[in-house]
Amino acid sequence: MPPSPAPVISIRDLRKSYGETEAVRGIELEVMPGEVFAFLGPNGAGKTTTVEILEGYRKRSGGEVSVLGEDPERAGREWRERIGIVLQSGRLDPYLTVRESLDLYAGYFRSPRPTEEVIALVGLEGKADERARRLSGGQQRRLDVGMALIGDPELLFLDEPTTGFDPSARRQAWDVIAGLRDLGKTVFLTTHYMDEAQRLADRVTIIAAGQIVARGTPEDLGDRESQPTTIRYRADGEEVVVETTTPVRTLNELTGAALAKGEELEALEVTRPSLEDVYLELTES
Ligand code: ATP
């Protein structure tokens, strides 16, 4: 068997306190090459703190962190060129055009991706000569992604890349992110949107109050055995709710009993928890 590849990101017992506040309380995670990894959590959960530690912008209080084989606190310029960062608020010069912005930024890197290729990757071909201030919010965000891609990084951090987007801009952004996977990039995505994680991520990790409360593929998390299926029906005018982890057997028993008595299970409804339900349950404070 070939040796398994080294993780792009590896975190062991990461801790970060701000005075009395323990923002991150001993988390562990690994991100493998070429995967889209979604880091989910409610406001104040510790996402930004963790991401900024990974990016080398914040010092940790304890634990071990390796990003592309180096400790971000000590890594230098060469390492920084291997990562791309898309922040929540962009860094665009409003008076430069799309092409000028990318060309300018390309100058900071030793082996940038060709500007025209990046413009195509983020779907801004028709807007290459438009000034940033005349782009729509969604187009500006795509240019932000383009700026992060111009240095041809191996690893991209996308911080809430579609917050505030209309549904069609979100779809377009999702296409761009899916395209990054096709290029073999590793993507660390923070988001508040379950559907986004479900759609894009290979693996999801949920953080709440500084601790990891769940991890797995989007399918695993939505289908966890500990999350019962809910069966509802009406009997004698009253709603009956049955929670079960063996829904096929329970349904068989219920319907079998009803058939034997020649009765109907009125308003029968079977629901499985979605990733959103799991998320809400896990992060309720
Ligand atoms: P959001 O979704 O709102 O961006 P988050 O998950 O990114 O939230 P963090 O910004 O990492 O959360 O914050 C985690 C906790 O640490 C919060 O309680 C926050 O108030 C606290 N915190 C973050 N930055 C600082 C700081 N510079 N000084 C003191 N406390 C901080």
Side-chain angles (χ1 to χ4, degrees):
M1 258 190 10
S4 49
V8 173
I9 296 174
S10 159
I11 297 179
R12 297 264 168 270
D13 196 27
L14 177 65
R15 296 174 182 276
K16 174 70 183 178
S17 300
Y18 302 103
E20 297 283 283
T21 310
E22 277 189 281
V24 176
R25 300 192 283 158
I27 68 170
E28 319 260 328
L29 61 86
E30 278 189 350
V31 179
M32 302 308 287
E35 104 175 313
V36 177
F37 180 91
F39 199 43
L40 293 179
N43 291 136
K47 300 182 298 296
T48 305
T49 299
T50 305
V51 171
E52 291 190 355
I53 289 170
L54 294 174
E55 293 167 349
Y57 290 133
R58 231 177 259 218
K59 284 194 175 240
R60 58 192 183 265
S61 313
E64 309 210 342
V65 177
S66 161
V67 176
L68 293 169
E70 299 202 40
D71 180 341
E73 272 182 28
R74 287 192 275 276
R77 173 169 173 191
E78 225 163 274
W79 174 85
R80 186 147 294 287
E81 288 202 3
R82 296 169 66 200
I83 68 174
I85 298 176
V86 184
L87 301 166
Q88 274 181 51
S89 55
R91 57 194 141 183
L92 304 176
D93 180 329
Y95 293 100
L96 293 184
T97 67
V98 167
R99 186 178 283 115
E100 287 165 350
S101 307
L102 290 167
D103 277 342
L104 179 70
Y105 213 58
Y108 296 120
F109 296 92
R110 270 171 278 199
S111 51
R113 243 190 146 85
T115 299
E116 295 308 317
E117 201 181 300
V118 172
I119 290 173
L121 269 174
V122 296
L124 284 175
E125 293 98 327
K127 296 286 174 185
D129 296 312
E130 196 73 85
R131 291 184 201 281
R133 69 190 181 103
R134 297 195 48 192
L135 299 175
S136 73
Q139 289 162 350
Q140 289 188 5
R141 217 66 187 104
R142 280 197 254 166
L143 179 51
D144 282 331
V145 175
M147 302 286 265
L149 277 175
I150 196 81
D152 201 20
E154 290 157 59
L155 167 64
L156 272 135
F157 290 98
L158 304 179
D159 193 9
E160 297 181 22
T162 65
T163 295
F165 278 21
D166 70 28
S168 106
R170 290 188 76 207
R171 295 279 148 156
Q172 289 170 7
W174 288 355
D175 288 345
V176 171
I177 297 168
L180 298 179
R181 181 203 275 113
D182 296 342
L183 287 175
K185 306 293 179 196
T186 306
V187 178
F188 192 104
L189 168 79
T190 60
T191 179
H192 290 290
Y193 300 120
M194 298 315 105
D195 56 343
E196 189 158 296
Q198 207 145 14
R199 171 73 172 250
L200 293 173
D202 299 302
R203 282 191 309 132
V204 179
T205 286
I206 302 178
I207 180 171
Q211 286 182 312
I212 288 173
V213 291
R215 62 176 97 223
T217 64
E219 298 74 36
D220 287 346
L221 286 178
D223 274 356
R224 289 179 347 148
E225 281 188 8
S226 58
Q227 298 294 318
T229 297
T230 305
I231 300 171
R232 289 191 170 80
Y233 59 95
R234 297 187 78 78
D236 302 329
E238 299 270 319
E239 185 178 52
V240 181
V241 181
V242 180
E243 302 226 311
T244 174
T245 52
T246 53
V248 173
R249 174 182 306 194
T250 310
L251 267 176
N252 191 352
E253 286 165 8
L254 286 170
T255 51
L259 278 175
K261 287 196 255 169
E263 290 173 357
E264 269 296 328
L265 290 176
E266 309 253 334
L268 176 65
E269 192 185 288
V270 182
T271 46
R272 305 219 61 183
S274 67
L275 183 56
E276 177 126 16
D277 296 327
V278 175
Y279 172 76
L280 287 173
E281 182 163 318
L282 289 167
T283 59
E284 257 167 23
S285 46

